[in-house]
Amino acid sequence: MQNIDIDMKVKLIHGFSNKTRIQILECIKNQEKTVSQIVEEISGNQSNISQHLACLKGCGIIVGRNEGKYSYYSLRNQHIRDLLTMFDTVLGDVQNDVACCDRHID
Amino acid sequence: MQNIDIDMKVKLIHGFSNKTRIQILECIKNQEKTVSQIVEEISGNQSNISQHLACLKGCGIIVGRNEGKYSYYSLRNQHIRDLLTMFDTVLGDVQNDVACCDRHID
DNA sequence: TTATCATATTAGCAATACCTAATATGTGTG
DNA sequence: CACACATATTAGGTATTGCTAATATGATAA
């Protein structure tokens, strides 16, 4: 694992480290959806969601396709789905600790 | 999955989303180490590493124990190790995309 | 007890990420 | 063509994160 790989790994993980992005991923975990469906389901702001979708897509976490005036987004593949599931597993282990951790660096 | 859980999940993932923290985790992935060992191995700054260790510990990702004047840190459990491995797996899938993504939100 | 080593904590600045509001693009429809 | 709808992009301010440098704590050894 070279340095270049670490940078990419961090970038990848960063894709998952935001509440809105996690909500989007949960939202499309089992089926592709349009931007407006996502916006509605997570009660988000269109511009904001669109930016996060671009981020997730740019990081290779999701894929998008256009059909007419709609854009459909879905998880890139099963590995991403597995990763989301694994987050839940790990969360179960650490839940109490995370609950009482309200800082990230100091 | 309630909102409260999403917040905790994001907090947990955030623990993994920094280069120094990933380096620390890789460094102690297979055996516990002291702070100074970690500082040396990843060529870091003592204060900085110490802060990141506090973050990782606060998030429940690692555990620490004191012995004399040394503090030893290691991964919390096998699930964390599995998660780190899974990041590598997923990275393999998306590597090209991540490589050309140099922004996170815009 | 004084000195030294290992680690933790604090403060403040620098960098990054995120949000909202405004605007642009692109597609279908009357 | 003009208009409406779906989505993307940009700009900018605000908030969060991470870094370095300085200092504090705590343990051992001379």
Side-chain angles (χ1 to χ4, degrees):
Chain A
M1 175 74 48
Q2 329 301 341
N3 250 341
I4 180 77
D5 291 319
I6 289 196
D7 287 337
M8 284 193 283
K9 196 195 295 196
V10 170
K11 215 176 282 186
L12 169 70
I13 298 171
H14 207 126
F16 295 94
S17 71
N18 168 274
K19 181 170 179 174
T20 303
R21 288 196 292 274
I22 285 290
Q23 287 181 118
I24 291 171
L25 293 173
E26 297 289 348
C27 177
I28 64 174
K29 187 174 182 184
N30 296 309
Q31 57 180 315
E32 65 170 12
K33 301 219 172 116
T34 67
V35 178
S36 33
Q37 278 181 299
I38 297 168
V39 168
E40 196 198 341
E41 288 188 30
I42 74 181
S43 303
N45 165 295
Q46 182 269 320
S47 164
N48 192 18
I49 300 296
S50 190
Q51 290 176 70
H52 282 299
L53 286 168
C55 169
L56 289 165
K57 188 176 171 187
C59 289
I61 294 171
I62 64 175
V63 292
R65 68 181 181 90
N66 297 117
E67 196 178 298
K69 62 180 177 178
Y70 296 95
S71 297
Y72 292 86
Y73 288 95
S74 54
L75 297 191
R76 180 191 189 81
N77 63 20
Q78 184 60 33
H79 280 150
I80 301 291
R81 202 168 286 111
D82 292 344
L83 190 51
L84 289 172
T85 301
M86 189 164 293
F87 285 141
D88 291 334
T89 302
V90 173
L91 187 61
D93 295 342
V94 305
Q95 199 138 10
N96 290 327
D97 298 284
V98 176
C100 64
C101 166
D102 54 0
R103 77 263 167 102
H104 274 106
I105 183 75
D106 56 22
Chain B
M1 176 75 46
Q2 329 300 340
N3 250 342
I4 181 77
D5 290 318
I6 289 196
D7 288 336
M8 284 194 283
K9 196 195 296 196
V10 171
K11 216 176 281 185
L12 169 71
I13 298 171
H14 210 128
F16 295 94
S17 71
N18 168 275
K19 180 171 180 174
T20 304
R21 288 196 291 275
I22 286 290
Q23 287 183 116
I24 291 172
L25 293 172
E26 297 289 349
C27 177
I28 65 175
K29 186 174 182 185
N30 296 309
Q31 58 179 314
E32 67 171 11
K33 301 218 172 119
T34 67
V35 178
S36 31
Q37 280 181 300
I38 297 168
V39 168
E40 196 199 339
E41 289 189 30
I42 73 180
S43 304
N45 165 296
Q46 183 270 319
S47 164
N48 191 19
I49 299 296
S50 191
Q51 289 175 71
H52 283 299
L53 286 168
C55 169
L56 290 165
K57 188 177 172 187
C59 289
I61 295 172
I62 65 176
V63 292
R65 69 183 180 85
N66 298 115
E67 196 179 299
K69 63 180 175 177
Y70 295 94
S71 297
Y72 292 86
Y73 288 95
S74 54
L75 297 191
R76 182 194 187 80
N77 63 22
Q78 184 61 34
H79 280 149
I80 301 291
R81 201 168 287 112
D82 293 343
L83 191 52
L84 288 172
T85 301
M86 178 75 102
F87 285 143
D88 290 333
T89 301
V90 173
L91 187 59
D93 295 342
V94 305
Q95 200 137 8
N96 291 326
D97 298 284
V98 175
C100 65
C101 166
D102 54 0
R103 76 263 168 100
H104 275 104
I105 183 77
D106 56 21

